[in-house]
Each structure stands twice: as structure tokens, then as C-alpha cells.
Amino acid sequence: MYAVIGAGPMGLAAARNLQKLNIPFVGFELHTDVGGLWDIDNPHSTMYESAHLISSKRMTEFKEFPMSDSVAAYPHHTQLRQYFRDFSDTFNLKSHYEFSTRVISMVPEGGGWRLISECNGQTQSRLFDGVLMANGTLHTPNMPSLPGTFAGTLMHSSEYRSPSVFNDKRVLIVGCGNSGADIAVDAVHHAKSVDISLRRGYYFLPKFIKGQPIDTLGGKLKLPRPVKQRMDAAMIRMVIGKPSDYGLPNPNYRMYESHPVVNSLVLHHLGHGDIKARRDIRRIDGHTVSFSDGENQDYDLILMATGYLLDYPFIERAQLNWPANHDAPQLYMNVFHPEHNNLFMMGMVEAAGLGWEGRNQQARLVALYIQQRQQNTAAVKQFDKVKRQRAGKTLDGGYDYIKLARMAYYVNKDEYLETLSKHIAELETKQPVLASEV
């Protein structure tokens, strides 16, 4: 019997693939229903009222369960919550889950994992053959310390739900990832003023080009990486210009070496003066914020759109092969532990264009691996050698990702999917592939 922790998109993909191979499992979910962070009613969700998918539905959906044609190209979070509920109901996945249940701890014991859970004040201890951890990567806020003391309201984007919080306030957004850009646009229609402070430059992409979702364009012709970086960056400059045209810093790295911001509305509002670009914060004194360019401004509310930290509070870092000087566990393909053959990190992977189907293929590989380990095939023995040798090696496709905590588990979509495909074929045919071929 295996344990699956989490009933968000990755947990459901893990459950579905175990189900397909008739591998018994029990699922654990903190909330009362499936959907993970896409259920805004989940107390642990970081969703906000205006949130939509930032990749298009056809590039994101599960292949075996397409979204309805009536759903918008970039669905609202309520539509996605219903999508996951329908997915779960269609394949009868809820019957495998224990809801309103928290995993308190898990430790290795006798070749398996002792997992202690709590539901309604009652704890339960069970021994599982293995564990698939799918509790998500966007739960624990990254809240950097600020240089000084702010006298107004200080909040993280994880706390943000409704733009009413900005009513008649002077607002400073710190950071400009996809959530930060969305929230800044929300604030424009409610706040007295909106500024956005950036420490570094970002690449901004529009959601549509010629009426088509941007992530559905191109890709038919495989270009060498440096050529693709130059051509795509030139195309974006031609369509929307450079960030500096809107008062923002230009990125000092090449395209695709950090996650792009898929939002052109923030540029629209910068160009109209609805949002003012600010440099990095140098000092805070009461309501006054001083910036690195010497300018000062007073604010009533600072919202930190500074991302999230990986956090798995129910297991010791050492059990995850997670050294203190690394921002993420050192695993093969961000999934497979070099030594524990029954511990799997599901969904600790980020890549532009990977979608839920890419993560579903990850779950498919894990389920096949479990099945083949039970049969002790030559293919799985060879895979074990590969995962020990390559634990912590990033499948980056040759891209020089910038050194940020968020990028510690970033991969190149093409290389990741190709590696998944090779291993899936290897395990399905039970024929080992040489490590040099991976």
C-alpha cells in the first residue's frame, strides 16, 4: 500500500496513474475536497479572486481529460476547481482519499515509511510501502526582511484575496512575478496610487498574439537554443517593446533563463501612468520608503509578491537529500531519491509549457517504476543506477538559469519530456537503457 499526500493537480495525477496500474494507495488531503490551491475556499490556498491560468487550457490540461470547448482559453480559477472535481469524479479518485486529514510526520521504518496523520483531533499511525509527496510548492511564503520598520499594512501575496484591500490606499507592490503583475493590475482600479518595486528585470509576454494563446504558437521547428533565445526575444521586443520603455529595468539575462511574466496589462497600466515603476527598496521609516535611485514615497500598504519557499514540514530534510546549502532537494528529475527507492517528490518541477500533462507523465513514470520494482526487472535495476548517478543534475537543456530559490527546481520542458519519454518506454518494455543514453 502506498500513500499519496495531496489532492491538488499533482496528487490527482499520481492517484490516477497508481489506479491505472492497480497499485493500492491511500490519499491524504488537508482540505475537504480536491483541487489544492485552485480551490479558493481551501484555507491553505493562495488563490485570489481575479486569478486565471497563465498558460492556455490546451497546453495545460490532462490529455485524457480535455477541458470543455466552452471554457475560456485562460480559465478562471473557479472553472479549474470544477475541472479537478470532475476529473476526480470521473475516475472515482475521491474514494481513495481521507479528507480533512493532516500528515504530521513520516519516517523510514523496516523498508517502508511510518506515516502519522491527524483528522478531527484523532491521530493514526500506519506503515506504507512507499510515499508519493504531492503537497505542492506554493504554500510557504518567501518573506524577505525589509530595511526598516513599516508603519502601514504589510502583507504577502499569499494573503491576498480581494482588491477591496486596496481601497483608497497608497500601495507598493514588491516583486513582479505573475502574481505580482496580476495584483498590481487589480490594485489600479481601487487604490489611490500603485507603485511597483523591482530588484531585477523580467521578460514580459502577452497572452495572445494574432488572437491565439502565445504558448500555442511556434515549436514546430526546433531551433538551436541560442537562436531560439535571440529570435523569441526579438519578436517580443517587436510586439510590446522593452521593459525600459515602460520605466522598468531590462533583464540582464537571456530569455528563458528565468520564468517569464505572462501579462501585458501591467505594461498597459505602466504606459498610462496608472502604475509607477520603482527601483529596489533602500530604507523604510514609518510610512516613507526610500529607493535605491534616491526617490522617496509614502505608502499605506506594502504587498510582498516575493514568491514561495519549498516546505515539507512532515519529513526531515536529511531524508529528502536536501543539503543546507541548496534551495531544493537533490533528486533525479526532481522526483527520485538516490537511495530511497520508495519515496517520490511529485510536482517539484517548474517549466514554461510543461502543463499538467507533463506532470501526469511524471506520475506515469513513478507508477511504472513502482510496478517494475515489484517485478524486479532489469530495466528498473538500470534506472536505479541512473538515479543514483544523476541525483541533483538539472535537466536545463543548456539554459543558464539565474540563481534564485524558485529556479532551483526549474527544468527545460523539451529535455524533461524527452527524458520522461525515454524512461517510460524503458520501463514499459522492461528493457534497460544505458545511462549514457539518458
Side-chain angles (χ1 to χ4, degrees):
M1 180 73 73
Y2 281 76
V4 175
I5 301 176
M10 192 70 244
L12 294 178
R16 173 63 177 147
N17 281 276
L18 292 176
Q19 179 191 62
K20 285 180 178 180
L21 296 185
N22 297 312
I23 298 171
F25 69 94
V26 174
F28 298 90
E29 168 56 42
L30 270 169
H31 189 39
T32 57
D33 208 335
V34 302
L37 66 83
W38 290 103
D39 185 350
I40 197 170
D41 295 327
N42 182 344
H44 312 284
S45 172
T46 55
M47 198 56 55
Y48 43 94
E49 289 179 359
S50 62
H52 288 71
L53 199 60
I54 63 166
S55 55
S56 67
K57 66 178 181 181
R58 296 299 178 221
M59 298 299 291
T60 311
E61 64 194 5
F62 292 125
K63 186 176 180 180
E64 72 169 339
F65 199 74
M67 294 188 203
S68 168
D69 290 340
S70 64
V71 172
Y74 294 95
H76 189 253
H77 65 84
T78 54
Q79 294 174 301
L80 296 170
R81 175 175 63 182
Q82 190 59 51
Y83 173 75
F84 293 118
R85 289 178 177 178
D86 292 344
F87 179 86
S88 176
D89 290 342
T90 298
F91 300 114
N92 192 31
L93 298 179
K94 288 184 184 179
S95 63
H96 295 272
Y97 272 88
E98 297 178 8
F99 290 97
S100 302
T101 301
R102 177 185 297 275
V103 174
I104 297 173
S105 68
M106 50 178 285
V107 294
E109 179 181 319
W113 288 88
R114 174 67 62 181
L115 189 147
I116 298 177
S117 60
E118 184 270 331
C119 179
N120 296 324
Q122 300 295 314
T123 60
Q124 190 172 5
S125 175
R126 279 167 283 188
L127 186 64
F128 289 95
D129 296 320
V131 181
L132 289 73
M133 296 168 53
N135 58 301
T137 60
L138 303 177
H139 292 293
T140 301
N142 176 28
M143 193 71 169
S145 59
L146 292 172
T149 302
F150 183 56
T153 301
L154 178 64
M155 61 186 297
H156 189 270
S157 58
S158 61
E159 305 170 72
Y160 174 70
R161 292 294 180 272
S162 167
S164 61
V165 71
F166 301 127
N167 285 348
D168 204 35
K169 289 185 171 64
R170 298 164 296 179
V171 175
L172 176 64
I173 310 290
V174 179
C176 192
N178 283 288
S179 294
D182 281 354
I183 295 170
V185 171
D186 278 358
V188 162
H189 305 290
H190 295 79
K192 183 180 295 184
S193 66
V194 182
D195 292 0
I196 188 164
S197 169
L198 277 69
R199 176 177 294 180
R200 64 180 179 90
Y202 295 79
Y203 285 95
F204 291 84
L205 309 181
K207 282 195 167 183
F208 293 93
I209 291 183
K210 291 188 175 181
Q212 300 300 314
I214 191 171
D215 59 358
T216 65
L217 304 176
K220 295 179 181 178
L221 178 63
K222 296 297 182 183
L223 298 172
R225 175 188 51 76
V227 175
K228 179 175 175 57
Q229 287 178 292
R230 288 195 299 270
M231 287 187 63
D232 287 4
M235 180 191 72
I236 293 303
R237 283 196 301 272
M238 180 177 66
V239 173
I240 62 174
K242 298 181 294 184
S244 56
D245 296 333
Y246 303 88
L248 301 172
N250 291 319
N252 59 359
Y253 52 89
R254 292 183 292 272
M255 195 161 187
Y256 302 126
E257 292 179 350
S258 181
H259 199 68
V261 177
V262 188
N263 186 321
S264 54
L265 281 177
V266 69
L267 303 181
H268 169 91
H269 286 295
L270 281 159
H272 285 75
D274 302 326
I275 301 174
K276 181 176 177 60
R278 296 288 186 177
R279 294 299 178 255
D280 193 23
I281 295 174
R282 185 179 63 187
R283 188 179 67 257
I284 297 177
D285 184 11
H287 286 276
T288 304
V289 177
S290 302
F291 299 96
S292 60
D293 59 2
E295 292 190 353
N296 304 298
Q297 185 61 49
D298 290 346
Y299 298 101
D300 304 302
L301 186 151
I302 296 178
L303 185 142
M304 304 290 286
T306 45
Y308 297 84
L309 299 172
L310 294 177
D311 186 21
Y312 305 98
F314 44 80
I315 185 172
E316 295 292 333
R317 284 177 65 117
Q319 299 292 351
L320 295 176
N321 197 34
W322 192 355
N325 60 339
H326 286 76
D327 291 318
Q330 301 302 286
L331 310 173
Y332 179 51
M333 300 185 71
N334 295 17
V335 180
F336 297 92
H337 194 284
E339 302 302 331
H340 292 310
N341 296 324
N342 55 2
L343 178 64
F344 310 96
M345 184 67 76
M346 311 301 298
M348 191 194 76
V349 60
E350 187 65 64
L354 190 63
W356 294 320
E357 181 56 29
R359 292 165 175 82
N360 181 60
Q361 293 302 310
Q362 181 194 91
R364 180 183 176 193
L365 175 60
V366 169
L368 282 167
Y369 175 83
I370 292 170
Q371 181 193 62
Q372 296 303 307
R373 279 206 64 82
Q374 292 171 344
Q375 298 174 11
N376 198 29
T377 65
V380 85
K381 292 178 182 178
Q382 178 61 35
F383 185 91
D384 284 343
K385 293 180 182 178
V386 172
K387 75 182 181 75
R388 284 194 296 269
Q389 293 168 1
R390 295 187 58 81
K393 301 293 184 182
T394 304
L395 300 178
D396 55 21
Y399 289 88
D400 184 18
Y401 296 138
I402 63 176
K403 303 301 184 286
L404 293 173
R406 192 248 174 97
M407 300 302 293
Y409 52 97
Y410 208 88
V411 301
N412 172 253
K413 177 193 71 172
D414 294 333
E415 184 176 359
Y416 197 82
L417 291 178
E418 182 180 354
T419 305
L420 276 173
S421 180
K422 286 181 178 179
H423 283 313
I424 287 170
E426 170 192 355
L427 294 180
E428 284 185 331
T429 61
K430 304 181 183 180
Q431 295 299 316
V433 175
L434 296 178
S436 61
E437 295 181 27
V438 177

